[in-house]
Amino acid sequence: MAVEYILASKNKDTIGTIGLSISVFESIAQYTIEDMKDVYLTLSTNFRKNVNCKVENNALIIDLDVVVRIGKNVNEISRQIQNNVASEIYAMTSINNIIVNVNVKGFCI
């Protein structure tokens, strides 16, 4: 499997380029979810990860598989996930063309 990178620095004044691996963005999203209340990432398996990242049409697309605590508003928590993940990625990388897809796979106690 080829490792994809996103060019983080396009400034001509630098002595080289800075590329961020897709796994960097997956890690940021994972840590962001772990800091949130009432939502958890699903368990990863050998065949499917709970955080997937790809680049399409110059946009960083992140797919998250989560479970939500029973009794909590799924729409509200999903919007919080999208906002928090996009904000953290921007804060840590200055990349702002981000799409965060939240896939609610179930509920937990």
Side-chain angles (χ1 to χ4, degrees), residues 72-108:
K72 299 300 177 181
N73 186 315
V74 174
N75 288 331
E76 182 180 314
I77 289 177
S78 296
R79 279 190 209 98
Q80 287 175 356
I81 292 168
Q82 290 174 319
N83 291 332
N84 290 358
V85 169
S87 295
E88 282 299 315
I89 288 175
Y90 180 74
M92 295 178 79
T93 67
S94 297
I95 292 179
N96 60 5
N97 193 7
I98 305 165
I99 298 169
V100 180
N101 298 318
V102 178
N103 305 309
V104 179
K105 297 291 187 172
F107 296 94
C108 62

Side-chain angles (χ1 to χ4, degrees), residues 3-107:
V3 177
E4 290 186 60
Y5 290 90
I6 294 178
L7 191 60
S9 174
K10 296 181 183 177
N11 190 348
K12 294 179 183 178
D13 296 336
T14 63
I15 58 174
T17 60
I18 299 171
L20 300 172
S21 170
I22 292 298
S23 63
V24 169
F25 301 101
E26 291 173 349
S27 295
I28 294 170
Q30 182 177 2
Y31 295 134
T32 302
I33 298 292
E34 289 173 356
D35 284 343
M36 294 181 68
K37 292 173 53 175
D38 301 322
V39 64
Y40 305 95
L41 290 168
T42 60
L43 296 176
S44 293
T45 65
N46 290 339
F47 303 108
R48 177 103 170 110
K49 295 189 307 183
N50 52 18
V51 179
N52 289 295
C53 188
K54 62 186 173 188
V55 178
E56 287 183 7
N57 300 326
N58 291 328
L60 176 66
I61 301 172
I62 301 172
D63 293 314
L64 304 167
D65 293 343
V66 300
V67 292
V68 176
R69 187 175 302 277
I70 290 176
K72 299 300 177 181
N73 186 315
V74 174
N75 288 331
E76 182 180 314
I77 289 177
S78 296
R79 279 190 209 98
Q80 287 175 356
I81 292 168
Q82 290 174 319
N83 291 332
N84 290 358
V85 169
S87 295
E88 282 299 315
I89 288 175
Y90 180 74
M92 295 178 79
T93 67
S94 297
I95 292 179
N96 60 5
N97 193 7
I98 305 165
I99 298 169
V100 180
N101 298 318
V102 178
N103 305 309
V104 179
K105 297 291 187 172
F107 296 94

